[in-house]
Amino acid sequence: MKNIILTGDRPTGPLHIGHYVGSLRNRVLIQNEGNYDEMYVFAADAQALTDNFDNPKNVRKNVLEVVMDNIACGLDPNKVVFFIQSEVPELTELTFYYMNLVTVSRLHRNPTVKEEIKVRGFDESIPAGFFTYPVSQSADITAFKANIVPVGEDQLPMVEQAREIVRKFNSIYNTDVLVEPNAKIPNTENERRLVGTDGNAKMSKSLDNCIYLKDRKVFSMYTDPNHIKVEDPGKVEGNTVFTYLDVFCKDNSFSKYLPEYKNLDELKEHYRKGGLGDMKIKRFLNDILQEELKPIREKREELERNPEYVLNVLKEGTMKARKKAGETLKEVKKAMNYFE
Ligand code: TRP
């Protein structure tokens, strides 16, 4: 079987380090391992419109931003096909056929959509397009016959929905044209839900607790409110600086930036005992974050100076994507024994 990787981002704003550790870093790893036949990454602008239909300008503006963020993080347009969802109308057609395979009550049970409806205050006036976006997302995934979908944890219900549609389609039309996808999420809980700089919730624009990939400043960060004097014993659990260190610290970080400690365990032990100040651990984290984010920021600035290049990547990629999605659509209609 072929290995086909696919994932997308809604273009609604710049990406932050929560996106990075929750999903982007994984994509880059997969790309660099090179164990795949095709890889697609796209701007899910049609999906973004389902709750931004009153502000298409903002979605449009962010298409390029999201693609630049992905390239800046290390995805290589020579290895990855980048495309714009709305420019592949085959996806919309597939969505329409898949709608018949999903019940309204099944859509109501999608926990991520449920949560989003609550957050957006849609109550009873849920746009049908928003409510059904998991079906459209199933089309995105299956049109490319993706078997591996690197995503954040919140996307697990979408991949599950796609799997159900694939099974249903293949069984009703007695075919094997569609491929069941598997989600790939990060290994640790801290990566799957990187806390915001305030320490108490997932990083999110609306909570104003983000570090963006393009940020120069790195932080003012929540530590342990009872750790007032350097001599005081401090808490490591729930301390944002240590949570981030768990996620970002590398084997050589200590020898580079804090050689008086051997490893993170030793640093944590000293903090717990007392005698280690917040400034010191913050400076250490800052050095580590800068090392990881600086090349991303620089690459991004280079891309910003050259939007023509990014547009061209998207143009070529979208052509390839249309071709592939068109082939699948043909197979789908043939399997349905319908007009081809
Ligand atoms: N729902 C994803 C997000 O919120 C975007 C997305 C759309 C996607 N279609 C997809 C992700 C297909 C993976 C596969 O960012």
Side-chain angles (χ1 to χ4, degrees):
M1 199 181 78
K2 275 189 163 185
N3 258 346
I4 300 180
I5 323 286
L6 173 133
T7 193
D9 302 298
R10 289 184 196 173
T12 51
L15 300 184
H16 52 61
I17 64 170
H19 297 122
Y20 177 67
V21 298
S23 178
L24 268 79
R25 201 157 68 162
N26 242 346
R27 304 174 192 177
V28 178
L29 265 174
I30 293 174
Q31 170 198 268
N32 293 345
E33 281 167 5
N35 181 25
Y36 63 87
D37 299 281
E38 296 163 37
M39 183 160 176
Y40 300 89
V41 173
F42 66 101
D45 61 333
Q47 183 176 113
L49 282 173
T50 64
D51 65 335
N52 287 275
F53 46 84
D54 51 351
N55 197 358
K57 224 169 146 181
N58 182 51
V59 175
R60 187 187 161 130
K61 181 183 91 203
N62 280 300
V63 167
L64 274 193
E65 301 285 316
V66 152
V67 174
M68 286 193 285
D69 278 334
N70 273 280
I71 301 176
C73 286
L75 290 183
D76 176 354
N78 293 313
K79 298 181 180 158
V80 175
V81 176
F82 287 97
F83 69 91
I84 302 178
Q85 185 189 30
S86 67
E87 290 293 307
V88 184
E90 289 78 6
L91 298 175
T92 324
E93 196 173 336
L94 271 180
T95 303
F96 205 68
Y97 298 133
Y98 291 172
M99 290 279 194
N100 303 326
L101 309 179
V102 180
T103 64
V104 171
S105 70
R106 172 66 183 88
L107 289 169
H108 267 300
R109 286 200 305 271
N110 185 310
T112 298
V113 177
K114 241 192 212 165
E115 177 63 23
E116 287 173 317
I117 286 170
K118 209 164 84 195
V119 171
R120 285 161 180 70
F122 280 148
D123 298 317
E124 287 308 300
S125 49
I126 310 164
F130 185 80
F131 183 60
T132 54
Y133 87 72
V135 183
S136 138
Q137 186 154 340
S138 303
D140 301 336
I141 296 170
T142 56
F144 299 89
K145 305 201 177 180
N147 60 329
I148 301 170
V149 183
V151 279
E153 183 183 43
D154 61 328
Q155 297 298 301
L156 289 176
M158 310 305 158
V159 178
E160 188 49 40
Q161 176 70 82
R163 292 167 65 86
E164 285 174 30
I165 288 176
V166 168
R167 288 197 290 266
K168 202 149 182 191
F169 184 93
N170 285 351
S171 111
I172 290 176
Y173 302 111
N174 194 20
T175 175
D176 58 1
V177 298
L178 297 184
V179 174
E180 267 189 63
N182 298 292
K184 177 138 185 38
I185 62 174
N187 295 328
T188 70
E189 183 65 25
N190 280 343
E191 292 169 286
R192 292 197 288 262
R193 308 190 144 251
L194 187 72
V195 290
T197 51
D198 57 359
N200 46 49
K202 194 172 140 174
M203 197 169 271
S204 109
K205 183 164 70 181
S206 53
L207 295 171
D208 195 21
N209 61 3
C210 299
I211 298 171
Y212 291 98
L213 289 175
K214 53 183 190 182
D215 277 348
R216 275 181 179 280
K217 65 138 196 25
V218 171
F219 49 85
S220 68
M221 197 169 275
Y222 180 92
T223 53
D224 171 3
N226 297 318
H227 185 250
I228 298 165
K229 291 194 291 277
V230 173
E231 317 81 83
D232 292 341
K235 253 178 76 182
V236 165
E237 287 69 33
N239 183 321
T240 317
V241 174
F242 279 102
T243 308
Y244 281 37
L245 284 174
D246 276 332
V247 171
F248 288 100
C249 203
K250 299 209 182 88
D251 287 344
N252 64 2
S253 302
F254 281 92
S255 63
K256 270 190 188 155
Y257 305 116
L258 205 58
E260 60 264 46
Y261 297 87
K262 271 206 294 294
N263 53 38
L264 201 48
D265 286 337
E266 213 179 85
L267 189 75
K268 285 179 179 173
E269 200 184 299
H270 192 184
Y271 192 81
R272 284 200 187 98
K273 243 187 12 220
L276 173 58
D278 281 351
M279 261 332 283
K280 190 154 179 173
I281 56 166
K282 282 189 181 182
R283 229 179 280 128
F284 179 48
L285 173 61
N286 187 48
D287 287 336
I288 293 173
L289 277 180
Q290 293 295 352
E291 177 183 324
E292 184 130 2
L293 297 180
K294 190 162 168 259
I296 297 177
R297 198 166 64 225
E298 286 173 355
K299 177 80 191 164
R300 208 184 183 291
E301 283 164 6
E302 183 191 318
L303 292 164
E304 272 168 37
R305 287 193 293 274
N306 200 355
E308 285 302 313
Y309 166 76
V310 185
L311 274 173
N312 216 31
V313 164
L314 278 170
K315 245 188 219 151
E316 282 180 18
T318 302
M319 251 158 41
K320 284 189 199 153
R322 275 203 79 169
K323 185 157 171 279
K324 170 97 184 199
E327 283 162 13
T328 305
L329 180 60
K330 245 195 189 147
E331 290 178 67
V332 159
K333 286 165 118 178
K334 195 163 168 193
M336 291 165 72
N337 216 348
Y338 212 61
F339 292 113
E340 284 162 46

mmCIF file of all heavy atoms in Angstrom, residues 165-180:
data_model
loop_
_atom_site.group_PDB
_atom_site.id
_atom_site.type_symbol
_atom_site.label_atom_id
_atom_site.label_comp_id
_atom_site.label_asym_id
_atom_site.label_seq_id
_atom_site.Cartn_x
_atom_site.Cartn_y
_atom_site.Cartn_z
ATOM 1 N N ILE A 165 -17.229 7.125 7.081
ATOM 2 C CA ILE A 165 -17.737 7.371 5.726
ATOM 3 C C ILE A 165 -17.093 6.398 4.739
ATOM 4 O O ILE A 165 -17.765 5.839 3.868
ATOM 5 C CB ILE A 165 -17.522 8.840 5.317
ATOM 6 C CG1 ILE A 165 -18.485 9.740 6.100
ATOM 7 C CG2 ILE A 165 -17.712 9.037 3.806
ATOM 8 C CD1 ILE A 165 -18.317 11.227 5.853
ATOM 9 N N VAL A 166 -15.798 6.196 4.882
ATOM 10 C CA VAL A 166 -15.095 5.259 3.989
ATOM 11 C C VAL A 166 -15.704 3.867 4.105
ATOM 12 O O VAL A 166 -16.028 3.228 3.094
ATOM 13 C CB VAL A 166 -13.581 5.215 4.337
ATOM 14 C CG1 VAL A 166 -12.901 4.049 3.631
ATOM 15 C CG2 VAL A 166 -12.911 6.527 3.972
ATOM 16 N N ARG A 167 -15.886 3.401 5.332
ATOM 17 C CA ARG A 167 -16.442 2.048 5.512
ATOM 18 C C ARG A 167 -17.835 1.957 4.919
ATOM 19 O O ARG A 167 -18.178 1.003 4.243
ATOM 20 C CB ARG A 167 -16.472 1.676 7.003
ATOM 21 C CG ARG A 167 -15.091 1.398 7.586
ATOM 22 C CD ARG A 167 -15.199 0.648 8.894
ATOM 23 N NE ARG A 167 -15.749 1.475 9.953
ATOM 24 C CZ ARG A 167 -15.001 2.169 10.823
ATOM 25 N NH1 ARG A 167 -13.684 2.106 10.765
ATOM 26 N NH2 ARG A 167 -15.565 2.897 11.758
ATOM 27 N N LYS A 168 -18.631 2.989 5.150
ATOM 28 C CA LYS A 168 -19.996 2.972 4.657
ATOM 29 C C LYS A 168 -20.019 3.000 3.131
ATOM 30 O O LYS A 168 -20.741 2.237 2.497
ATOM 31 C CB LYS A 168 -20.767 4.166 5.225
ATOM 32 C CG LYS A 168 -22.252 3.960 5.205
ATOM 33 C CD LYS A 168 -22.924 4.683 6.344
ATOM 34 C CE LYS A 168 -24.408 4.412 6.330
ATOM 35 N NZ LYS A 168 -25.139 5.285 7.262
ATOM 36 N N PHE A 169 -19.231 3.895 2.562
ATOM 37 C CA PHE A 169 -19.199 3.994 1.101
ATOM 38 C C PHE A 169 -18.750 2.675 0.491
ATOM 39 O O PHE A 169 -19.411 2.128 -0.401
ATOM 40 C CB PHE A 169 -18.251 5.128 0.663
ATOM 41 C CG PHE A 169 -18.259 5.345 -0.831
ATOM 42 C CD1 PHE A 169 -19.107 6.280 -1.407
ATOM 43 C CD2 PHE A 169 -17.426 4.601 -1.668
ATOM 44 C CE1 PHE A 169 -19.132 6.469 -2.794
ATOM 45 C CE2 PHE A 169 -17.444 4.778 -3.037
ATOM 46 C CZ PHE A 169 -18.298 5.713 -3.610
ATOM 47 N N ASN A 170 -17.640 2.162 0.986
ATOM 48 C CA ASN A 170 -17.097 0.927 0.404
ATOM 49 C C ASN A 170 -18.072 -0.230 0.567
ATOM 50 O O ASN A 170 -18.174 -1.084 -0.325
ATOM 51 C CB ASN A 170 -15.745 0.582 1.044
ATOM 52 C CG ASN A 170 -14.625 1.488 0.536
ATOM 53 O OD1 ASN A 170 -14.814 2.265 -0.401
ATOM 54 N ND2 ASN A 170 -13.458 1.399 1.156
ATOM 55 N N SER A 171 -18.820 -0.259 1.670
ATOM 56 C CA SER A 171 -19.739 -1.393 1.840
ATOM 57 C C SER A 171 -21.014 -1.216 1.016
ATOM 58 O O SER A 171 -21.458 -2.139 0.351
ATOM 59 C CB SER A 171 -19.980 -1.652 3.331
ATOM 60 O OG SER A 171 -21.286 -1.317 3.690
ATOM 61 N N ILE A 172 -21.575 -0.002 0.982
ATOM 62 C CA ILE A 172 -22.816 0.201 0.199
ATOM 63 C C ILE A 172 -22.570 -0.036 -1.285
ATOM 64 O O ILE A 172 -23.369 -0.673 -1.964
ATOM 65 C CB ILE A 172 -23.367 1.633 0.409
ATOM 66 C CG1 ILE A 172 -23.913 1.775 1.834
ATOM 67 C CG2 ILE A 172 -24.468 1.954 -0.602
ATOM 68 C CD1 ILE A 172 -24.393 3.169 2.155
ATOM 69 N N TYR A 173 -21.443 0.462 -1.790
ATOM 70 C CA TYR A 173 -21.198 0.355 -3.234
ATOM 71 C C TYR A 173 -20.270 -0.808 -3.569
ATOM 72 O O TYR A 173 -19.824 -0.927 -4.707
ATOM 73 C CB TYR A 173 -20.657 1.690 -3.762
ATOM 74 C CG TYR A 173 -21.625 2.828 -3.482
ATOM 75 C CD1 TYR A 173 -21.325 3.819 -2.563
ATOM 76 C CD2 TYR A 173 -22.877 2.868 -4.115
ATOM 77 C CE1 TYR A 173 -22.218 4.837 -2.277
ATOM 78 C CE2 TYR A 173 -23.784 3.886 -3.826
ATOM 79 C CZ TYR A 173 -23.445 4.863 -2.914
ATOM 80 O OH TYR A 173 -24.337 5.866 -2.629
ATOM 81 N N ASN A 174 -20.019 -1.618 -2.542
ATOM 82 C CA ASN A 174 -19.258 -2.843 -2.738
ATOM 83 C C ASN A 174 -17.960 -2.590 -3.530
ATOM 84 O O ASN A 174 -17.751 -3.141 -4.601
ATOM 85 C CB ASN A 174 -20.155 -3.855 -3.476
ATOM 86 C CG ASN A 174 -19.559 -5.248 -3.421
ATOM 87 O OD1 ASN A 174 -18.720 -5.521 -2.552
ATOM 88 N ND2 ASN A 174 -19.944 -6.106 -4.351
ATOM 89 N N THR A 175 -17.140 -1.747 -2.926
ATOM 90 C CA THR A 175 -15.925 -1.317 -3.617
ATOM 91 C C THR A 175 -14.790 -1.175 -2.605
ATOM 92 O O THR A 175 -15.011 -1.331 -1.391
ATOM 93 C CB THR A 175 -16.170 0.048 -4.312
ATOM 94 O OG1 THR A 175 -14.966 0.515 -4.885
ATOM 95 C CG2 THR A 175 -16.664 1.091 -3.328
ATOM 96 N N ASP A 176 -13.596 -0.904 -3.092
ATOM 97 C CA ASP A 176 -12.519 -0.566 -2.158
ATOM 98 C C ASP A 176 -11.793 0.699 -2.618
ATOM 99 O O ASP A 176 -10.618 0.885 -2.326
ATOM 100 C CB ASP A 176 -11.544 -1.743 -1.994
ATOM 101 C CG ASP A 176 -10.923 -2.166 -3.314
ATOM 102 O OD1 ASP A 176 -11.242 -1.519 -4.354
ATOM 103 O OD2 ASP A 176 -10.124 -3.118 -3.330
ATOM 104 N N VAL A 177 -12.505 1.575 -3.325
ATOM 105 C CA VAL A 177 -11.826 2.777 -3.841
ATOM 106 C C VAL A 177 -11.395 3.728 -2.728
ATOM 107 O O VAL A 177 -10.384 4.405 -2.849
ATOM 108 C CB VAL A 177 -12.639 3.584 -4.891
ATOM 109 C CG1 VAL A 177 -12.918 2.762 -6.127
ATOM 110 C CG2 VAL A 177 -13.893 4.156 -4.315
ATOM 111 N N LEU A 178 -12.155 3.785 -1.633
ATOM 112 C CA LEU A 178 -11.770 4.735 -0.589
ATOM 113 C C LEU A 178 -10.884 4.060 0.465
ATOM 114 O O LEU A 178 -11.029 2.877 0.749
ATOM 115 C CB LEU A 178 -13.014 5.339 0.070
ATOM 116 C CG LEU A 178 -13.911 6.172 -0.853
ATOM 117 C CD1 LEU A 178 -15.052 6.791 -0.060
ATOM 118 C CD2 LEU A 178 -13.121 7.260 -1.583
ATOM 119 N N VAL A 179 -9.966 4.872 1.015
ATOM 120 C CA VAL A 179 -8.968 4.351 1.959
ATOM 121 C C VAL A 179 -9.235 4.911 3.358
ATOM 122 O O VAL A 179 -9.458 6.111 3.519
ATOM 123 C CB VAL A 179 -7.554 4.776 1.502
ATOM 124 C CG1 VAL A 179 -6.499 4.373 2.525
ATOM 125 C CG2 VAL A 179 -7.244 4.179 0.132
ATOM 126 N N GLU A 180 -9.225 4.038 4.369
ATOM 127 C CA GLU A 180 -9.440 4.491 5.748
ATOM 128 C C GLU A 180 -8.201 5.200 6.283
ATOM 129 O O GLU A 180 -7.118 4.633 6.302
ATOM 130 C CB GLU A 180 -9.735 3.300 6.664
ATOM 131 C CG GLU A 180 -11.204 3.026 6.823
ATOM 132 C CD GLU A 180 -11.476 1.984 7.905
ATOM 133 O OE1 GLU A 180 -11.168 2.239 9.074
ATOM 134 O OE2 GLU A 180 -11.991 0.911 7.538
#
